[in-house]
Amino acid sequence: MPYFSIAGGIPLRGSCRVHGAKNAVLPILAAAVLTRRPVRLLDVPDLSDVRNMSEILRMLGCHITRDGDALCIDGSDAACCELPEDLSKELRSSIFLLGPVLGRFRRAVVTYPGGCEIGNRPIDLHLKGLSALRAHILEEGGRIHCDGHALVGATIHLDYPSVGATENIMMAATAAEGETVICNAAREPEIVDLQGFLCAAGFDVQGAGTSTVVIRGGCRPREVTFRIMPDRIVTGTLLCAAAITGGSVTVENACPAHLSATLAKLTEAGCELTLYDRAIHLNAPPRPAAIPRLETLPHPGFPTDMQSQMCALASVADGTSVVVENVFENRFKHVPELIRMGADILTRDRTAVIRGVPRLTGAAVTARDLRGGASLVLAGLCAEGTTTVHRIGHIDRGYDHLERMLRPLGARITRHEETHGKEEPETGPTE
């Protein structure tokens, strides 16, 4: 796998642009299966997860082309309702295809999805919701067989506001007869983006962003061009990069309304924030202040996907911070790696107590998951000496060449590729 080498200790300054959101584009790519009309998506990041999802769609029979940041999907010839097992195990978001494939073909066969091992992420809420729409589901030999020839709208109450289950039910319900109401729906901005795409494509969905989403089936799809929302987690990561290095950075193509919880904690850390319509400027103090308590919660609470980045920031803060992870039970895999760099962190169950140190020290560390890997990059940016972050394939799942976003800000970060058994540094952008 490739790795990053980072020479730390440089305050980041300047401006950078955020790409489209990974967690928005993946379900929207899945939703493209619902229509036989052409779909053109704009501001699609070049992520390994996007490439894997695109390959799954090709194997279902869709034609996909990329032109810069635009991705064109033509599903008119799609005919296969069975998802490839090998690719599905590489991509957690492959489960998003269950609803739209079932809606399009009235039958779907999927394997249990893969992705980062950050804790239990059961799909029982997905299956329970589809069963409420009168889909017949059989689990056999590690595969899920669904028959949806009699999909009918229903009122579905989710036991937990699961993002994936909300999105899967939304997509399947567009093909159900009558009206579907999802109660206790997840409220993340990415769900609002999915609704925006579905409505633009000719479907009838209302209420996304609230706890009640209403879908009316029987609509006629149409050709659509749709721009993916900015990635709020990439935005938060770049703001943390400025904060942890004592820098001053403007993040463009950002939506402040999507980051209220993250911005509140950065303000607690002593950062000065200026919010614009499509940009955020952060001016950091020489050393961040401690964050007395941070708890991850479903939106609009603090996002679990920003927890590890804030742990990195707290590791050099002036004082003691407490971080509580309420969403996933196994999301402190970055902590041993931060300790390797000199961080003072004690974890017990789902709580981390972080006593800030004046400076971290560069070390060889390993990314264990996507967001944890990003936190190690942040730690390396402020550390004394050189940090090498290995297994950055995890990071590439959610950041479109993170090093290219950081370099214009002054970061000394280099991607090294392995070629024929030898490691060679990246000398510049590649085509």
Side-chain angles (χ1 to χ4, degrees), residues 8 28 61 79 81 110 129 178 190 198-199 204 212 265 282 284 293 303 305 343 361 393 407 429 431:
I28 288 173
C81 63
V110 302
E190 292 80 10
L198 289 171
C199 290
D204 188 349
T212 303
K265 291 304 175 184
L282 182 144
R293 189 173 183 86
D305 280 355
T361 303
R407 279 192 202 131
E431 294 300 324

PDB file of all heavy atoms in Angstrom, residues 8 28 61 79 81 110 129 178 190 198-199 204 212 265 282 284 293 303 305 343 361 393 407 429 431:
ATOM      1  N   GLY A   8       6.390  17.829   9.873  1.00  0.00           N
ATOM      2  CA  GLY A   8       5.433  18.640  10.618  1.00  0.00           C
ATOM      3  C   GLY A   8       5.997  19.955  11.122  1.00  0.00           C
ATOM      4  O   GLY A   8       7.142  20.325  10.874  1.00  0.00           O
ATOM      5  N   ILE A  28     -26.572   8.183  -3.854  1.00  0.00           N
ATOM      6  CA  ILE A  28     -27.127   8.749  -5.082  1.00  0.00           C
ATOM      7  C   ILE A  28     -26.723   7.904  -6.292  1.00  0.00           C
ATOM      8  O   ILE A  28     -27.526   7.683  -7.214  1.00  0.00           O
ATOM      9  CB  ILE A  28     -26.705  10.221  -5.239  1.00  0.00           C
ATOM     10  CG1 ILE A  28     -27.452  11.082  -4.209  1.00  0.00           C
ATOM     11  CG2 ILE A  28     -26.965  10.735  -6.652  1.00  0.00           C
ATOM     12  CD1 ILE A  28     -27.009  12.530  -4.156  1.00  0.00           C
ATOM     13  N   GLY A  61     -24.970  -3.791 -15.343  1.00  0.00           N
ATOM     14  CA  GLY A  61     -25.370  -3.474 -16.706  1.00  0.00           C
ATOM     15  C   GLY A  61     -25.449  -1.995 -17.018  1.00  0.00           C
ATOM     16  O   GLY A  61     -25.836  -1.617 -18.131  1.00  0.00           O
ATOM     17  N   ALA A  79     -29.670  -5.026 -16.215  1.00  0.00           N
ATOM     18  CA  ALA A  79     -30.541  -6.195 -16.198  1.00  0.00           C
ATOM     19  C   ALA A  79     -30.241  -7.143 -15.044  1.00  0.00           C
ATOM     20  O   ALA A  79     -31.075  -7.971 -14.692  1.00  0.00           O
ATOM     21  CB  ALA A  79     -30.417  -6.950 -17.526  1.00  0.00           C
ATOM     22  N   CYS A  81     -29.646  -8.369 -11.243  1.00  0.00           N
ATOM     23  CA  CYS A  81     -30.130  -8.003  -9.912  1.00  0.00           C
ATOM     24  C   CYS A  81     -29.280  -8.628  -8.812  1.00  0.00           C
ATOM     25  O   CYS A  81     -29.635  -8.576  -7.643  1.00  0.00           O
ATOM     26  CB  CYS A  81     -31.579  -8.433  -9.741  1.00  0.00           C
ATOM     27  SG  CYS A  81     -31.841 -10.203  -9.844  1.00  0.00           S
ATOM     28  N   VAL A 110     -27.871  -9.846  -2.580  1.00  0.00           N
ATOM     29  CA  VAL A 110     -26.682  -9.118  -2.131  1.00  0.00           C
ATOM     30  C   VAL A 110     -25.949  -9.939  -1.081  1.00  0.00           C
ATOM     31  O   VAL A 110     -26.540 -10.807  -0.435  1.00  0.00           O
ATOM     32  CB  VAL A 110     -27.056  -7.737  -1.546  1.00  0.00           C
ATOM     33  CG1 VAL A 110     -27.801  -6.894  -2.562  1.00  0.00           C
ATOM     34  CG2 VAL A 110     -27.891  -7.887  -0.276  1.00  0.00           C
ATOM     35  N   GLY A 129     -37.192  -2.692   7.473  1.00  0.00           N
ATOM     36  CA  GLY A 129     -37.923  -1.681   6.717  1.00  0.00           C
ATOM     37  C   GLY A 129     -38.421  -2.215   5.390  1.00  0.00           C
ATOM     38  O   GLY A 129     -39.569  -1.959   4.996  1.00  0.00           O
ATOM     39  N   GLY A 178     -48.489   3.229  -3.538  1.00  0.00           N
ATOM     40  CA  GLY A 178     -49.025   4.026  -2.448  1.00  0.00           C
ATOM     41  C   GLY A 178     -47.972   4.832  -1.717  1.00  0.00           C
ATOM     42  O   GLY A 178     -46.888   5.110  -2.240  1.00  0.00           O
ATOM     43  N   GLU A 190     -26.854  14.520   4.139  1.00  0.00           N
ATOM     44  CA  GLU A 190     -26.737  13.649   2.967  1.00  0.00           C
ATOM     45  C   GLU A 190     -28.090  13.044   2.580  1.00  0.00           C
ATOM     46  O   GLU A 190     -28.327  12.728   1.408  1.00  0.00           O
ATOM     47  CB  GLU A 190     -25.719  12.544   3.252  1.00  0.00           C
ATOM     48  CG  GLU A 190     -24.287  13.036   3.378  1.00  0.00           C
ATOM     49  CD  GLU A 190     -23.948  13.654   4.722  1.00  0.00           C
ATOM     50  OE1 GLU A 190     -24.782  13.544   5.664  1.00  0.00           O
ATOM     51  OE2 GLU A 190     -22.856  14.242   4.858  1.00  0.00           O
ATOM     52  N   LEU A 198     -33.582  12.512  -5.911  1.00  0.00           N
ATOM     53  CA  LEU A 198     -34.758  11.725  -6.273  1.00  0.00           C
ATOM     54  C   LEU A 198     -35.859  12.617  -6.842  1.00  0.00           C
ATOM     55  O   LEU A 198     -36.505  12.268  -7.846  1.00  0.00           O
ATOM     56  CB  LEU A 198     -35.270  10.960  -5.050  1.00  0.00           C
ATOM     57  CG  LEU A 198     -34.390   9.797  -4.576  1.00  0.00           C
ATOM     58  CD1 LEU A 198     -34.891   9.255  -3.242  1.00  0.00           C
ATOM     59  CD2 LEU A 198     -34.323   8.683  -5.606  1.00  0.00           C
ATOM     60  N   CYS A 199     -36.058  13.785  -6.219  1.00  0.00           N
ATOM     61  CA  CYS A 199     -37.081  14.704  -6.723  1.00  0.00           C
ATOM     62  C   CYS A 199     -36.701  15.243  -8.097  1.00  0.00           C
ATOM     63  O   CYS A 199     -37.546  15.353  -8.998  1.00  0.00           O
ATOM     64  CB  CYS A 199     -37.301  15.847  -5.734  1.00  0.00           C
ATOM     65  SG  CYS A 199     -38.121  15.337  -4.208  1.00  0.00           S
ATOM     66  N   ASP A 204     -41.242  11.347  -5.927  1.00  0.00           N
ATOM     67  CA  ASP A 204     -41.955  12.203  -4.976  1.00  0.00           C
ATOM     68  C   ASP A 204     -41.523  11.855  -3.554  1.00  0.00           C
ATOM     69  O   ASP A 204     -42.000  10.871  -2.971  1.00  0.00           O
ATOM     70  CB  ASP A 204     -43.472  12.019  -5.138  1.00  0.00           C
ATOM     71  CG  ASP A 204     -44.278  13.021  -4.315  1.00  0.00           C
ATOM     72  OD1 ASP A 204     -43.684  13.709  -3.465  1.00  0.00           O
ATOM     73  OD2 ASP A 204     -45.503  13.091  -4.522  1.00  0.00           O
ATOM     74  N   THR A 212     -39.470  12.735   9.948  1.00  0.00           N
ATOM     75  CA  THR A 212     -40.514  12.045   9.192  1.00  0.00           C
ATOM     76  C   THR A 212     -40.324  12.287   7.701  1.00  0.00           C
ATOM     77  O   THR A 212     -40.342  13.426   7.242  1.00  0.00           O
ATOM     78  CB  THR A 212     -41.920  12.525   9.609  1.00  0.00           C
ATOM     79  OG1 THR A 212     -42.099  12.336  11.019  1.00  0.00           O
ATOM     80  CG2 THR A 212     -42.993  11.748   8.861  1.00  0.00           C
ATOM     81  N   LYS A 265     -17.383  23.096  18.557  1.00  0.00           N
ATOM     82  CA  LYS A 265     -16.240  22.533  19.294  1.00  0.00           C
ATOM     83  C   LYS A 265     -14.936  23.226  18.904  1.00  0.00           C
ATOM     84  O   LYS A 265     -14.043  23.405  19.745  1.00  0.00           O
ATOM     85  CB  LYS A 265     -16.150  21.030  19.053  1.00  0.00           C
ATOM     86  CG  LYS A 265     -17.293  20.251  19.688  1.00  0.00           C
ATOM     87  CD  LYS A 265     -17.397  20.518  21.180  1.00  0.00           C
ATOM     88  CE  LYS A 265     -18.604  19.848  21.807  1.00  0.00           C
ATOM     89  NZ  LYS A 265     -18.750  20.191  23.246  1.00  0.00           N
ATOM     90  N   LEU A 282     -10.981  29.936   9.232  1.00  0.00           N
ATOM     91  CA  LEU A 282     -10.574  29.634  10.604  1.00  0.00           C
ATOM     92  C   LEU A 282      -9.219  30.243  10.889  1.00  0.00           C
ATOM     93  O   LEU A 282      -8.274  30.065  10.115  1.00  0.00           O
ATOM     94  CB  LEU A 282     -10.525  28.117  10.836  1.00  0.00           C
ATOM     95  CG  LEU A 282     -10.165  27.665  12.261  1.00  0.00           C
ATOM     96  CD1 LEU A 282     -10.947  26.407  12.644  1.00  0.00           C
ATOM     97  CD2 LEU A 282      -8.665  27.412  12.418  1.00  0.00           C
ATOM     98  N   ALA A 284      -6.541  30.124  13.952  1.00  0.00           N
ATOM     99  CA  ALA A 284      -6.288  29.326  15.145  1.00  0.00           C
ATOM    100  C   ALA A 284      -5.350  30.036  16.119  1.00  0.00           C
ATOM    101  O   ALA A 284      -4.480  30.810  15.708  1.00  0.00           O
ATOM    102  CB  ALA A 284      -5.668  27.981  14.749  1.00  0.00           C
ATOM    103  N   ARG A 293     -15.832  18.382  27.146  1.00  0.00           N
ATOM    104  CA  ARG A 293     -16.603  17.172  26.856  1.00  0.00           C
ATOM    105  C   ARG A 293     -17.120  17.218  25.423  1.00  0.00           C
ATOM    106  O   ARG A 293     -17.718  18.195  25.001  1.00  0.00           O
ATOM    107  CB  ARG A 293     -17.764  17.025  27.831  1.00  0.00           C
ATOM    108  CG  ARG A 293     -18.479  15.671  27.713  1.00  0.00           C
ATOM    109  CD  ARG A 293     -19.511  15.499  28.810  1.00  0.00           C
ATOM    110  NE  ARG A 293     -20.163  14.191  28.763  1.00  0.00           N
ATOM    111  CZ  ARG A 293     -19.695  13.083  29.333  1.00  0.00           C
ATOM    112  NH1 ARG A 293     -18.552  13.136  30.013  1.00  0.00           N
ATOM    113  NH2 ARG A 293     -20.344  11.929  29.249  1.00  0.00           N
ATOM    114  N   PRO A 303     -20.812  14.727  14.832  1.00  0.00           N
ATOM    115  CA  PRO A 303     -20.695  13.539  13.953  1.00  0.00           C
ATOM    116  C   PRO A 303     -19.584  12.593  14.386  1.00  0.00           C
ATOM    117  O   PRO A 303     -18.460  13.015  14.668  1.00  0.00           O
ATOM    118  CB  PRO A 303     -20.402  14.151  12.577  1.00  0.00           C
ATOM    119  CG  PRO A 303     -19.793  15.488  12.868  1.00  0.00           C
ATOM    120  CD  PRO A 303     -20.437  15.973  14.142  1.00  0.00           C
ATOM    121  N   ASP A 305     -17.970  10.753  12.522  1.00  0.00           N
ATOM    122  CA  ASP A 305     -16.896  10.797  11.524  1.00  0.00           C
ATOM    123  C   ASP A 305     -15.879  11.900  11.795  1.00  0.00           C
ATOM    124  O   ASP A 305     -14.839  11.966  11.126  1.00  0.00           O
ATOM    125  CB  ASP A 305     -17.484  10.983  10.124  1.00  0.00           C
ATOM    126  CG  ASP A 305     -18.012   9.679   9.549  1.00  0.00           C
ATOM    127  OD1 ASP A 305     -17.834   8.628  10.190  1.00  0.00           O
ATOM    128  OD2 ASP A 305     -18.604   9.711   8.458  1.00  0.00           O
ATOM    129  N   ALA A 343       1.124  11.244  22.421  1.00  0.00           N
ATOM    130  CA  ALA A 343      -0.134  11.701  23.013  1.00  0.00           C
ATOM    131  C   ALA A 343      -0.384  10.993  24.338  1.00  0.00           C
ATOM    132  O   ALA A 343       0.034   9.842  24.538  1.00  0.00           O
ATOM    133  CB  ALA A 343      -1.293  11.445  22.052  1.00  0.00           C
ATOM    134  N   THR A 361       5.524  14.000  18.569  1.00  0.00           N
ATOM    135  CA  THR A 361       6.779  13.665  17.907  1.00  0.00           C
ATOM    136  C   THR A 361       6.499  12.743  16.727  1.00  0.00           C
ATOM    137  O   THR A 361       5.717  11.793  16.848  1.00  0.00           O
ATOM    138  CB  THR A 361       7.735  12.966  18.890  1.00  0.00           C
ATOM    139  OG1 THR A 361       7.959  13.812  20.021  1.00  0.00           O
ATOM    140  CG2 THR A 361       9.073  12.668  18.213  1.00  0.00           C
ATOM    141  N   GLY A 393      -4.583   3.618   1.976  1.00  0.00           N
ATOM    142  CA  GLY A 393      -5.721   3.223   1.162  1.00  0.00           C
ATOM    143  C   GLY A 393      -7.032   3.457   1.891  1.00  0.00           C
ATOM    144  O   GLY A 393      -8.062   3.753   1.275  1.00  0.00           O
ATOM    145  N   ARG A 407      -1.135  20.492   0.430  1.00  0.00           N
ATOM    146  CA  ARG A 407       0.118  21.107  -0.053  1.00  0.00           C
ATOM    147  C   ARG A 407      -0.006  22.598  -0.348  1.00  0.00           C
ATOM    148  O   ARG A 407       0.893  23.374   0.011  1.00  0.00           O
ATOM    149  CB  ARG A 407       0.609  20.375  -1.302  1.00  0.00           C
ATOM    150  CG  ARG A 407       1.369  19.092  -1.019  1.00  0.00           C
ATOM    151  CD  ARG A 407       2.065  18.624  -2.290  1.00  0.00           C
ATOM    152  NE  ARG A 407       2.355  17.200  -2.206  1.00  0.00           N
ATOM    153  CZ  ARG A 407       2.073  16.331  -3.153  1.00  0.00           C
ATOM    154  NH1 ARG A 407       1.466  16.725  -4.256  1.00  0.00           N
ATOM    155  NH2 ARG A 407       2.386  15.071  -3.020  1.00  0.00           N
ATOM    156  N   PRO A 429       1.397  15.982  -9.077  1.00  0.00           N
ATOM    157  CA  PRO A 429       0.071  15.449  -9.402  1.00  0.00           C
ATOM    158  C   PRO A 429       0.143  14.468 -10.563  1.00  0.00           C
ATOM    159  O   PRO A 429       0.924  14.631 -11.494  1.00  0.00           O
ATOM    160  CB  PRO A 429      -0.732  16.689  -9.766  1.00  0.00           C
ATOM    161  CG  PRO A 429      -0.003  17.837  -9.104  1.00  0.00           C
ATOM    162  CD  PRO A 429       1.435  17.459  -9.142  1.00  0.00           C
ATOM    163  N   GLU A 431      -2.088  12.214 -13.519  1.00  0.00           N
ATOM    164  CA  GLU A 431      -3.325  12.319 -14.308  1.00  0.00           C
ATOM    165  C   GLU A 431      -4.276  11.181 -13.933  1.00  0.00           C
ATOM    166  O   GLU A 431      -3.843  10.108 -13.593  1.00  0.00           O
ATOM    167  CB  GLU A 431      -2.966  12.232 -15.809  1.00  0.00           C
ATOM    168  CG  GLU A 431      -2.159  13.392 -16.292  1.00  0.00           C
ATOM    169  CD  GLU A 431      -2.859  14.721 -16.138  1.00  0.00           C
ATOM    170  OE1 GLU A 431      -4.101  14.776 -16.320  1.00  0.00           O
ATOM    171  OE2 GLU A 431      -2.184  15.714 -15.852  1.00  0.00           O
TER     172      GLU A 431
END
